């Protein structure tokens, strides 16, 4: 099980390093394992991507459920901000979870045609619609918020930046929906 997890993490990182056009040898190199070892678990890249996304979805769904249990009451914008912070923190530590959202923003174009609809459906039902509910928006403003989060987190994976300003990025993402910003005391203020 530990070896499988090592391979899945390496595959997610190989995806970012190669722009999604990795092969089993790239994953073996990333995981510091022999080609035959990786091939034993995953004889083709499509099975590997399927498992990377599946485990990424599980982690994202679990994080959403945990956040919902902890968020409680309070102003909706604060809840949304807390969710954005939690999502960015998850993505910083878990490339598989980030890949779920990254690929969703690309309509899962890196998947074989037959695998796209189930991935899109799972994303919409398990992650996107709950986020719309948290944001209390049914328009495309949630897409704008996710674009800010995914794009900024991409700097960590594609440009090699080690740390993100999670609070600032989260504030910008929420601002993409609410048209509100924060004053110097951390309180919301309406944009003119």
């Amino acid at each position: 099980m530990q070896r499988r997890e090592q391979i899945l993490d390496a595959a997610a990182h190989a995806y970012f390093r190669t722009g999604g056009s990795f092969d089993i040898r790239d994953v073996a190199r990333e995981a510091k394992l022999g080609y035959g070892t990786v091939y034993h678990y995953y004889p083709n890249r499509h099975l590997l991507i399927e498992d990377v996304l599946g485990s990424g979805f599980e982690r994202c769904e679990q994080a959403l459920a945990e956040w919902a249990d902890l968020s409680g009451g309070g102003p909706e914008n604060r809840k949304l901000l807390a969710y954005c912070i939690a999502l960015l923190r998850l993505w910083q530590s878990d490339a598989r979870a980030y890949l779920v959202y990254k690929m969703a923003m690309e309509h899962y174009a890196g998947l074989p045609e037959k695998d796209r609809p189930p991935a899109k459906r799972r994303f919409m039902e398990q992650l996107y619609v709950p986020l719309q509910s948290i944001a209390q928006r049914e328009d495309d403003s949630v897409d704008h918020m996710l674009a800010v989060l995914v794009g900024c987190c991409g700097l960590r994976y594609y440009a090699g930046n080690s740390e993100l300003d999670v609070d600032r990025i989260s504030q910008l993402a929420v601002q993409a929906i609410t048209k509100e910003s924060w004053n110097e005391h951390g309180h919301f203020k309406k944009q003119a």
Side-chain angles (χ1 to χ4, degrees):
M1 196 64 156
Q2 183 180 0
R3 175 104 359 124
R4 182 180 170 275
E5 292 296 308
Q6 180 182 2
I7 292 168
L8 294 175
D9 284 338
H13 287 281
Y15 181 95
F16 299 121
R17 199 179 73 259
T18 65
S21 62
F22 67 89
D23 64 23
I24 299 296
R25 290 187 195 288
D26 295 318
V27 174
R29 217 176 354 265
E30 185 79 33
K32 296 178 176 52
L33 295 171
Y35 171 79
T37 302
V38 175
Y39 186 81
H40 170 75
Y41 289 92
Y42 294 99
N44 68 60
R45 86 186 274 283
H46 297 294
L47 291 173
L48 181 53
I49 291 172
E50 186 179 299
D51 275 5
V52 167
L53 280 178
S55 65
F57 268 115
E58 289 171 9
R59 291 167 177 204
C60 291
E61 291 161 1
Q62 179 182 0
L64 177 62
E66 288 171 3
W67 175 87
D69 287 345
L70 296 175
S71 68
E76 294 308 315
N77 290 346
R78 287 281 175 205
K79 289 164 78 174
L80 188 57
L81 179 65
Y83 181 73
C84 289
I85 290 169
L87 201 54
L88 281 173
R89 287 187 178 146
L90 171 66
W91 293 349
Q92 276 189 295
S93 65
D94 191 332
R96 290 184 250 171
Y98 174 67
L99 190 57
V100 167
Y101 282 83
K102 166 84 169 105
M103 289 182 81
M105 296 295 101
E106 299 165 349
H107 304 282
Y108 293 99
L111 295 178
E113 187 68 39
K114 69 175 182 55
D115 295 336
R116 291 178 195 165
K120 287 179 184 179
R121 189 169 32 259
R122 185 172 183 182
F123 180 79
M124 292 301 292
E125 292 172 0
Q126 301 300 317
L127 299 171
Y128 189 85
V129 171
L131 181 55
Q132 280 183 314
S133 176
I134 293 165
Q136 297 185 346
R137 300 283 193 287
E138 292 186 14
D139 59 9
D140 65 354
S141 60
V142 169
D143 294 345
H144 298 246
M145 184 188 80
L146 286 176
V148 170
L149 294 173
V150 168
C152 290
C153 192
L155 294 172
R156 180 184 191 299
Y157 289 104
Y158 290 101
N161 296 355
S162 60
E163 290 300 317
L164 298 173
D165 186 345
V166 171
D167 293 330
R168 174 128 170 81
I169 293 167
S170 297
Q171 289 173 358
L172 290 171
V174 172
Q175 190 174 349
I177 286 184
T178 63
K179 310 272 191 288
E180 294 178 342
S181 62
W182 281 258
N183 63 23
E184 63 276 2
H185 305 293
H187 295 94
F188 288 102
K189 64 179 182 179
K190 281 277 188 205
Q191 294 283 332

